[in-house]
Amino acid sequence: MDIAKTYNPREAEGKWYPYWTEKNFFKSTPDHRKAYTIVIPPPNVTGVLHMGHMLNNTIQDVLIRRARMLGFNACWVPGTDHASIATEAKVVKLLADQGIKKADLSREEFLKHAWVWKEKYGGIILEQLKYLGASCDWSRTRFTMEPALSDAVIDVFIDLYNKKQIYRGVRMVNWDPQGLTAVSDEEVIHKETNSKLVYVKYKIENSDEYITVATTRPETIMGDTAVCVNPHDERYTKLKGKNIIVPVVNRVVPIIFDEYVDATFGTGALKVTPAHDINDFNLGQKYKLPVIDALTQDGKISEAAGAYVGMDRFACRKQIIKDLQEQGLVEKIEEIKNKVGYSERTDAVIEPRLSMQWFLKMEDISKPALEAVLNNDVKLIPEKFINTYKHWMENVHDWCISRQLWWGQQIPAWYDDKGNTVVCKTKEEAVKLLKTDNVKQDEDVLDTWFSSWLWPLTVFDPDIIKKGWANANEDLKYYYPTNDLVTAPEILFFWVARMIIAGKEYTGQKPFNNVYLTGIVRDKLGRKMSKQLGNSPDPLELITKYGADGVRVGMLLCSPAGNDLMFDESYCEQGRNFANKVWNAFRLIKGFEVGTNVSQPEASKTAIEWFGNRLSEQLEIINDHYSKYRMSDALMTTYKLVWDDFCAWYLEIIKPDFIDGKAQPIDKTTYDATIIYLESLLKIMHPWMPFITEEIWHLIKERAEMDCIIVAEWPAVNTQNKEALIAFEVVKEIVSKVKNIRQQKNISPKEKLEVKEKSTIGGQFSRFDSVTIKLANLSSYSYTKEKVDGAFSFMVLTAEFFVPLTGNINVDEEKERLAKELEYNKGFLKSVQIKLSNQKFVANAKPEIIEVERKKESDALNKIRSIEEQLASL
């Protein structure tokens, strides 16, 4: 069989992904096995693959592939989220490019355009995940707005409304003037912004005096309906019962007194604008102040403002400052930094706005979800996020679940012309309940999260809300609760908490056992990757350049749970180099000529014993890392086991010698053992590197069509001979010391040396001598009870080793080198002894620290004695 000189990732990826799909290796249906289930965090239907997706989905695929190999019925459910705000924005832009305004379309016409867009572009990201190797059960692909899942969302709304958990009312909400919709607190990103703090003078009615008020939002002055001061602030006590005149509009409003105002902050006077700030709104309610909405929905100055009508809010801000300055009403302007809320979806500056919205009461419904995490029923990994979760859930506000959009599940509330409201599924039901044909459905849709909070339930059984847990279908009973959820900390409350709430509400159970929280992918300068900064590589280009396996390894080499990943393309290069290392090791092994009558060398026999133990030891560590979700650690341990232990040590020992420029045959026993080890290593590597492992698996020998590594059994951990492991560490140390002597003395690696061991334990690991002889290229390895004159020496554990001088050594140079080394060690010993003679240090230091210092002293004394003996022998 011809094996290519270099590994071709594109060829392997193009071969094996279609093969796995064709043979249904990803497909899962309930059977006798235990289920292992992951539901994908559904990416936005508008999305294309970015580095965050790469990290998240690689981790999921590693977990699902390993579970499959462990014998679980592994099911990874894919799908996409309809993403109301993002998708509507995409469709509106697409229509605008065609000269069509949303306002000129009916709801039905707009939704036709939206569905056409979704069908054309909506599946891109799922197709891209296939290039990564994602082993999802594609036959189970779901979409949060498909009819069955949308029905479930409507069922939940009706159910919670009937339970009096959902209500409608005018509240102050976060308004996105670009998206033209309310957004939840969690969808507001607070950014530090450079702002102007403008000190504006408000004239006291019937007086020449002024009150100065500081504001960063002078464009809302037209909505002021009071100025508030603290009743204990002596500066303003004389103003009780007085009014002030609002600049620009000359509106006469009262001065009110309330302890809400901090007298020590700013001027101690607060402009009260009930329509544009939640705290001002609360003051307005308390003192029955009128509400004047100075802004339109799209962030322009409103008719009600009475001035600057139709001007953009930020343009108005600049103009009003200029006009106030010209009127002498600006006392001063300070440049400050403050936190400003931005819409997560559109990046528009959020406006607090009074609006009629639908809300879900959160106080009671959220309690079981808080308990689930606090009692460790749902584990957050890493645990540091428990406190964040606890803080959010203990301070939860009612959830604004309505959105002023057309793309999404339309709220099933119906109104007659008298203002009566019913909540039901169909217009026919509404007509019966309202006893009139003149009914109209609420125009708003539900928040996207109100559909995705049902995701772990409805992907398996969309009718669960109507039927209840007792009547759940076979899929849900088998796969739910799911095992692991892999997601980002920033949606811990948005999505994770709400899924737990929904799971507890409708099944009495948690939706998943573990939540693995990834970090944010940043560049090597620590900046979050973004299109704006141009620091985010195209994942598909990385896959083309380094291969899917190389990118998967590169992403996870530096990805500790919950901590940000400082990504550098060099990691992908390291991943590709690892794949090449594995390929070259395989080519080396397959290139061995297996001899029929070749006896097994003692070194090979010993190497097989050692590597079997080493493999089991490291596999046990790898399994432990997996159990604790230390993904990077599991990968790094795998990496070192293959690169260092197998390639650098094991293969070097068993590799046949070259005689007269020709490789000698290898014995069959060693070859067979090596193939078995290679197969075990390929299995351990498979979750991380699915393509190259499947390729090599089939190149090792002819296999049946279903005999694929994707379903091969995960290796078992065997009992280890600890003595063999310790012995080999000693061998490594000896070999390294001999190599160092060769380098220091410029002795050719081909020149054979001899080693003599002087040990009080005498030949404890003598069966490994043949390995040492081969790896260190020795002519002999023997034991002595006396020190050897005229030899280099070194220590390993308690044994001393001697390498007799060869004729190539310059004695004078060696004396000079040893003299310098002796001087250094004597200086080091002196510094340690000074520390140990310091009574204050000895009295206050921890015992283990003193022990470390005494060990340093002992080691230095032994080293000095050894150097002095070497000098004497020279």
Side-chain angles (χ1 to χ4, degrees), residues 789-800:
D789 291 334
F792 304 109
S793 69
F794 56 84
M795 300 284 295
V796 176
L797 300 179
T798 59
E800 190 169 10

Side-chain angles (χ1 to χ4, degrees), residues 6 20 52 110 175 178 228 352 380 386 398 405 470 523 528 582 704:
T6 55
W20 292 327
F110 177 82
W175 186 262
Q178 187 172 323
C228 186
L380 300 187
I386 293 174
D398 287 357
L405 302 163
D523 65 16
K528 188 174 180 179
V582 173

Side-chain angles (χ1 to χ4, degrees), residues 785-820:
K785 293 182 179 179
E786 305 295 334
K787 70 181 185 68
V788 178
D789 291 334
F792 304 109
S793 69
F794 56 84
M795 300 284 295
V796 176
L797 300 179
T798 59
E800 190 169 10
F801 297 82
F802 298 93
V803 180
L805 293 174
T806 70
N808 295 331
I809 300 301
N810 185 313
V811 175
D812 290 335
E813 284 182 4
E814 184 60 16
K815 282 182 177 179
E816 186 180 344
R817 187 189 69 79
L818 287 171
K820 288 180 181 176

